[in-house]
Amino acid sequence: MAASPDQFRGHARLPHFAAPLRYDLRLRPDLAACTFTGAAAIAVVVSAPTRFLVLNAAELDVDRASIRFQDLAPTDVAQFDEDEIMVISFDRELPFGEGVLTMDFTGTLNDQMRGFYRSKYVYNGESRNMAVTQFEAADARRCFPCWDDPAFKAKFKLTLEVPSDLVALSNMPVAKETVSGLTKTIYYEESPLMSTYLVAIVVGIFDYIESSTSEGTKVRVYTQVGKTNQGKFALDVAVKSLDLYKDYFATPYPLPKLDMIAIPDFSAGAMENYGLVTYRDTALLYDELLSSASNKQQVAITVAHELAHQWFGNLVTMEWWTHLWLNEGFASWVSYLAVESLFPEWNNWTQFLDETTSGLRLDALAESHPIEVEVNHASEIDAIFDSISYDKGASVIRMLQSYLGAECFQESGEPVKDLMTTWTKQQGYPVIYAKINGHDLELEQAQFLSDGSSGPGMWIVPVTACCGSYDAQKKFLLKDKMDKINIKEFSDSQSADGEKNQIIWIKLNIDQTGFYRVKYDDELAAGLVNAIKAKKLSLMDKIGIVEDSYALSVACKQTLTSLLRLLNAYNDESDYTVLSHVTSVCLSISKITVDATPDLNKDIKQLLINLLLPAVIKLGWDPKDGESHLDVMLRSLLLTALVRLGHNETINEGVRRFHIFFEDGKTSLLPPDTRKAAYLAVMRTVSTSSRSGFDALLKIYREASEPQEKSRVLGSLSSSPDQDIVLEALNFMFTDEVRNQDSFYILGGISLEGREIAWTWLKENWDHVLKTWKSSSLISDFIESIVPRFTSEEKAVEVTEFFAGQVKPSFERALKQSLERVRISARWIESIRSEPKLGQTVQELLQADA
């Protein structure tokens, strides 16, 4: 065996000749100086001949003189920064069996929202720091030297030394506490076996509320002082979810307590640390008076997702990040199961199609990746926390579960391996071409890509079909490129209304449980349009038809003309879940036609406005007594869409209500659910010469203490048609008035008119962005919010040239995907311009509305 520590460089994972059993950690954070000191005693088992110990450490100062393994002092200690490892060399082979590795170290409470970091909050009018950890995926090594790999599970015994007036929380309950003057030492109970990425510590000033599960597990929600009433909703969801999961998994909750805590600076939405779940404020806090219906839903889904992880992820853990999808996909899927059970009136499984849609849109890119993805370096891990791991993962689980049936799925005894392998090992998914030939329905599969090309993929596809009604359904596996089924096998022999020779309809992928798209021949497509108009289809199927049709149009597999005709069939739709997909497609059409057919854009926008108006007129701006949760969400969705489409009456009414609200914050004219629409309406009227609306919104932002209100304002600031105002909004992000975690709200709102100035701004500030936003998800937001707004090959080349030679793993995937999206748009535009009947169809549809 070579004698050099260099042999351990450049590997994705640590060697297995030694593994930790137990960590005894003592940490002392200094919240004023933003530093910490630590001491570790790690029980290690040596199982193969070695004279090295190799573990992870990053941005830590390890006191080399303090390092001992049993009574052996090392001959050399090498830290390799790019590998984030520390190699400790000894002058002889280490004895087999258990020994204790001890060392002292110091580090910085950084401002990067990863590792052991600081978050700012205001207490009694003054700014203070709290100390917080965020270790997933590979950042425990920034807090203490460790085997920072999910497979190396160990027990953790923590001791914290903190100022005696502060609250200090960790994964486990406090075993004992001693106070000496201004400092207290807290000893926590030892944890069960767990991975390093789930260790958690939070130190600051907090209040809490508590409740208990039916088994007596104590559950608490910690908030900033004075905000505990905003934790009540999450606490209620948490207790009910724990009771539900205990039964679903047939295993009790594994720990003695569960704490959930709101953190003001937090890069993700939430983190499932074992027994101490951390959240950004907006994902945990809900205020009856200040939060919207969609905020409420977000809190419920996030809490249910994180608590599912306590079993699936924490108790049972993936061996390496390649299998992240099992962790996240399953938690996403099961969180919908829980919320559907707690809030049946939210129609949650229909809303699950939002997840499926996100997964399908990303996975239609050549620059997507398989669900199971090779991870070769720690810096690549963050980039796979994306819509493939979460949304495609959850959707494939739903596909399997609905094909096998719920009971069978829980026991999972079916020979599903071959089927699942086609969905997890290769990227992408198929489009199924369906056509009628006599009594046969002929099916052919091909990999679907948004750039219109066909990939080589082949899947085992769980196909479901119905004909004329949902009573008779056909289920089978499409294993080859082509197959056919006799329609008589699954059609109602009597048509549903007993009428003869009506155009029958055939729907494949019933309720969109499958992760694939369907392209129908003209006859079948016409039948489905009639079925939509005749209200024969389920909500999920109405969503599937419009989403598939839009995706096929982007890929130039069908015309925009036919997509507009299809949308017209939805003109008296009133359901939130369906209209949320319809409006999303409308807004995409509105944007692409600005560049594709500027002379038709005004008429197309009018057509889309006419489509959405009937539902808006029915709902109005003012909430009604006793209306449903989904109607409250629908009002907000549609008013916002009409503002974005430039509907003058909606914009004027939004501005009118805003002015009343600005003078009197207690008015009932602008409740939280319609504020976003009003804020956007104000920003559509703002310009450099008339900026009072912009300044009014900044004043609301500065005076709001409630994070959901702050994010509503931030999300509208960059939506002005005036480039200089957009630039001002972007620069506002660089001030200390905006937390780094919230940059994506401003980035996400950039107006089409502002895209050029935003790109110039990004180029000028790129070095600053790289230094300030370290996490992969936050840095990717800058690229994904600005680059895909362009639609020309020239711009794609310009962007490529700018980034040439300075691409890092943390944003490489985001950049490649964004450039691919620009080229897809450019190709779609060419296709739209060559449609002969587009102008004529738009006029026909407008006259039919008149």
Side-chain angles (χ1 to χ4, degrees), residues 540-592:
M540 291 187 192
D541 281 335
K542 286 195 271 193
I543 291 168
I545 290 166
V546 79
E547 285 290 353
D548 282 359
S549 190
Y550 167 69
L552 290 160
S553 180
V554 172
C556 311
K557 301 268 185 218
Q558 73 170 63
T559 59
L560 176 61
T561 309
S562 66
L563 177 60
L564 290 172
R565 285 198 182 279
L566 170 69
L567 282 170
N568 199 50
Y570 290 80
N571 60 2
D572 61 351
E573 182 57 62
S574 59
D575 181 86
Y576 165 79
T577 57
V578 176
L579 284 171
S580 73
H581 291 265
V582 169
T583 49
S584 148
V585 168
C586 288
L587 291 168
S588 299
I589 292 172
S590 160
K591 277 186 209 142
I592 200 76

Side-chain angles (χ1 to χ4, degrees), residues 447-462:
Q447 183 172 353
F448 178 77
L449 288 161
S450 290
D451 66 7
S453 66
S454 252
M458 279 275 292
W459 286 262
I460 298 177
V461 189

Side-chain angles (χ1 to χ4, degrees), residues 30 57 252 267 312 321 334 355 446 548 741 832:
D30 181 334
S267 72
F312 212 91
W321 300 105
V334 90
E355 319 274 325
D548 282 359
Q741 66 164 15
I832 292 170

Side-chain angles (χ1 to χ4, degrees), residues 17-19 21 42-49 53 69-70 94-100:
F17 46 64
L21 290 175
I42 311 171
V44 177
V45 170
V46 178
S47 56
L53 288 175
F69 183 66
Q70 300 298 69
L94 302 175
F96 277 27
E98 194 176 327
V100 177

Side-chain angles (χ1 to χ4, degrees), residues 467-469 492-502 504:
C467 176
S469 93
D492 254 8
S493 48
Q494 288 295 303
S495 76
D497 306 318
E499 292 170 26
K500 291 282 174 281
N501 35 345
Q502 65 176 74
I504 65 149

Side-chain angles (χ1 to χ4, degrees), residues 293-406:
S294 60
N295 293 143
K296 185 175 196 175
Q297 226 176 252
Q298 193 51 48
V299 169
I301 272 287
T302 309
V303 169
H305 177 107
E306 303 310 328
L307 299 198
H309 275 311
Q310 304 302 308
W311 284 263
F312 212 91
N314 301 8
L315 178 64
V316 181
T317 312
M318 70 228 144
E319 196 269 339
W320 179 238
W321 300 105
T322 297
H323 298 284
L324 174 71
W325 78 275
L326 264 176
N327 201 350
E328 296 302 348
F330 190 83
S332 295
W333 178 81
V334 90
S335 68
Y336 277 80
L337 197 79
V339 172
E340 177 78 15
S341 158
L342 300 180
F343 303 100
E345 70 280 10
W346 291 1
N347 209 343
N348 213 43
W349 275 120
T350 310
Q351 295 197 50
F352 179 83
L353 293 186
D354 297 352
E355 319 274 325
T356 303
T357 300
S358 304
L360 287 168
R361 287 192 184 177
L362 178 52
D363 209 24
L365 299 183
E367 290 292 348
S368 178
H369 62 85
I371 281 182
E372 286 190 4
V373 61
E374 283 305 309
V375 175
N376 301 311
H377 191 277
S379 60
E380 296 171 17
I381 301 170
D382 281 351
I384 60 171
F385 281 79
D386 63 5
S387 204
I388 300 297
S389 299
Y390 285 72
D391 303 332
K392 181 180 182 179
S395 300
V396 166
I397 288 167
R398 175 175 178 248
M399 171 167 71
L400 190 67
Q401 192 257 1
S402 66
Y403 193 77
L404 297 176

